[in-house]
Amino acid sequence: MGEVDPAFIQDPDHRPKLSITEVEGIPLIDLTPIISPDSISDPKAVEAVVREIGSACRDWGFFQVISHGVVLDKLRKIETAARKFFALPLEEKRKIRRDEKSVLGYYDSERTKNVRDWKEVFDFTVEEPTLVPASPDPEDKEETEWYNQWPEHPPELREVSEEYAREVEKLALKLMGLIALSLGLPENRFSSYFKDQTTSVRLNHYPACPSPQLALGVGRHKDGGALTVLAQDDVGGLEVRRKTDGAWIRVQPTPNAYIINVGDSIQVWTNEKYQSVEHRVMVNSEKERFSIPYFLNPSHYTIIKPLEELINEQNLAKYRPYSWGKFMTNRKLSNFKKLNAENIQIHHFRVSE
C-alpha cells in the first residue's frame, strides 16, 4: 500500500485530525472482585463493580477492564500467529480470501460507510459451523452454515485462535451477566440469546499509511451485536465519540487491558438506557498496528427488541422487533459491494415519537 488510492480517502467532514484529544479517557474497571475466588464472600465489592459497569455503559458505552481472568499467554500466542499470517505474501493470504459464498477468512478491501478501510483482516466464527439465515429476505426461512477457512501457514493459527476464543467467551458472558445486574435484572437474563451464538473473532492488521490525515483504518461505525471485547497492541489508534460533546477521544493502550464496548443489540434491549457509541481507527505513518476484536453476537433466530422489564407506560418501547440473523446477513452483503444506500442500521427500526 503505497500512495493513497482515492477509494481510501474520507470525505473532508470525516477525515481524522492528527492532533489528539487526550483527556481522562474511558473508565478503567478492575474485575478482581468478580474473578477472584473470594468474590463469593464480598458482595459489596461485587456490587461496586456492577455499579461501575452500569455508569460506564450509561455515560460512555465503552470501558476497559483489568484483572479480567483471561490467560495472557493465550493472547500472546494468537498475536504472534496473527503477525506471522499477515507477513505472508498476498497471494498466499488470498488463498483463503472470503467472498459472498464463504464469508469467513482473509479480506483486504473492506468498506465502512462505502469508503475503503486501510487494513487487512482475517475472520473466524466461534461456533463451527455457525448457523445463519440463507438470505436477508424476511420471507426466506432457509438456514445455511458458515464454515471457517484456515490458512496452511502458520499451521498453529487454528488451534491458538480456537483456544483464545474459548478464553474470551468466559469474560464476554461474565460481562453480560454484570450488565444484566446493573440493570436490576437477574444475572442470567441474557444467557439464552447466546445458545447458538453467531460470535466471531477478527484479526486486524493496519499497515503504516503514507497519508494518515486522509484515510482511516476503520471509518466511523457502531458494532451491531451485543458486546465487543478488544485486545489492541501498544501502538494505539482507536478513537471513541464522547457522548457529552461528540468529540473524538483517543483510547490510550493500557497494558493487558481489554476494551469493552456496548453494541447496538444492548442499546435496543435496554431501550437506550445504554447506547452503542461510534468509534473509528486512525492509522499511523510510521507504525503498523494489530488488534483482535471478539464480537459477542446472539443466535441468528434471536428477535431483538426492548426487554419487557425495562419498558412501561412512561418508557415505551423505542424499537420495533427485528431478527438478529436477518440484520447481520444484510450487513454482511455491504462488505462486498459499494452500495448506493446506507447499510441497515438500528435506527431503521426505531419507533417515531
Side-chain angles (χ1 to χ4, degrees):
M1 290 181 166
E3 276 310 299
V4 175
D5 177 304
F8 291 100
I9 294 178
Q10 295 283 330
D11 256 355
D13 292 356
H14 300 301
R15 284 182 196 167
K17 292 189 175 51
L18 297 189
S19 60
I20 298 169
T21 311
E22 301 246 356
V23 288
E24 265 305 277
I26 64 173
L28 182 67
I29 300 174
D30 184 339
L31 294 183
T32 306
I34 308 294
I35 303 297
S36 73
D38 318 325
S39 61
I40 300 98
S41 57
D42 191 1
K44 279 218 165 20
V46 173
E47 273 170 37
V49 172
V50 167
R51 269 198 310 277
E52 277 187 85
I53 284 180
S55 351
C57 289
R58 192 185 59 241
D59 301 339
W60 279 91
F62 264 82
F63 54 96
Q64 301 190 71
V65 293
I66 51 172
S67 305
H68 41 64
V70 173
V71 177
L72 288 168
D73 180 55
K74 296 197 171 167
L75 170 59
R76 297 290 166 263
K77 282 184 172 152
I78 191 174
E79 283 175 335
T80 305
R83 283 171 184 268
K84 282 188 196 167
F85 172 71
F86 287 122
L88 293 171
L90 191 56
E91 61 273 20
E92 188 65 28
K93 292 182 282 199
R94 283 192 168 160
K95 286 181 183 168
I96 52 160
R97 192 168 196 265
R98 61 176 214 218
D99 55 35
E100 284 168 72
K101 289 197 176 45
S102 43
V103 300
L104 301 164
Y106 174 74
Y107 203 54
D108 58 356
S109 43
E110 189 156 80
R111 300 173 177 281
T112 303
K113 308 271 188 235
N114 276 332
V115 181
R116 261 186 79 179
D117 294 331
W118 191 269
K119 68 175 182 202
E120 51 178 351
V121 305
F122 172 78
D123 289 329
F124 66 94
T125 51
V126 170
E127 299 286 329
E128 174 94 274
T130 294
L131 204 59
V132 294
S135 82
D137 176 0
E139 300 308 309
D140 183 356
K141 299 291 180 252
E142 211 176 315
E143 292 180 327
T144 186
E145 292 175 328
W146 285 351
Y147 287 89
N148 288 322
Q149 298 193 80
W150 296 102
E152 272 178 63
H153 302 288
E156 69 275 17
L157 184 65
R158 178 175 188 161
E159 191 183 336
V160 300
S161 296
E162 289 172 347
E163 278 196 15
Y164 176 74
R166 278 194 292 275
E167 195 65 27
V168 178
E169 179 177 353
K170 291 184 279 196
L171 172 61
L173 295 174
K174 188 79 186 160
L175 289 167
M176 287 304 295
L178 296 170
I179 288 170
L181 291 171
S182 77
L183 293 159
L185 302 170
E187 189 169 1
N188 67 354
R189 179 60 181 87
F190 296 108
S191 306
S192 61
Y193 300 140
F194 300 101
K195 189 170 127 356
D196 297 304
Q197 59 184 349
T198 55
T199 297
S200 66
V201 179
R202 166 166 282 190
L203 310 180
N204 279 318
H205 174 223
Y206 303 97
C209 173
S211 302
Q213 73 286 6
L214 295 178
L216 285 167
V218 186
R220 62 191 165 67
H221 69 287
K222 296 178 177 184
D223 295 344
L227 204 67
T228 304
V229 180
L230 174 77
Q232 62 167 352
D233 65 13
D234 57 0
V235 173
L238 175 67
E239 295 193 332
V240 175
R241 202 190 272 283
R242 188 165 48 195
K243 283 175 73 171
T244 48
D245 60 0
W248 286 105
I249 305 299
R250 174 70 62 101
V251 178
Q252 285 311 317
T254 302
N256 303 331
Y258 277 99
I259 297 168
I260 313 297
N261 66 282
V262 163
D264 287 338
S265 303
I266 286 183
Q267 175 164 324
V268 175
W269 283 328
T270 65
N271 209 30
E272 293 189 353
K273 185 167 182 176
Y274 299 161
Q275 294 178 5
S276 62
V277 170
E278 270 197 322
H279 48 287
R280 66 184 187 182
V281 175
M282 303 274 285
V283 281
N284 189 302
S285 56
E286 278 122 50
K287 293 180 183 153
E288 58 182 348
R289 174 177 178 262
F290 295 87
S291 73
I292 307 174
Y294 172 103
F295 299 106
L296 179 69
N297 291 334
S299 50
H300 85 82
Y301 48 76
T302 303
I303 299 299
I304 311 260
K305 59 178 200 234
L307 300 179
E308 275 154 29
E309 304 94 313
L310 302 179
I311 52 178
N312 53 38
E313 299 276 305
Q314 286 71 49
N315 184 20
L316 298 170
K318 295 183 167 72
Y319 293 89
R320 299 192 306 279
Y322 62 91
S323 146
W324 164 250
K326 297 293 181 186
F327 181 87
M328 178 183 65
T329 42
N330 193 307
R331 280 261 177 114
K332 278 272 182 231
L333 281 182
S334 73
N335 284 332
F336 300 102
K337 300 183 176 77
K338 180 160 181 172
L339 302 176
N340 294 326
E342 165 185 49
N343 70 357
I344 196 163
Q345 306 287 345
I346 55 170
H347 68 70
H348 297 132
F349 299 99
R350 208 171 186 289
V351 175
S352 49
E353 289 169 15

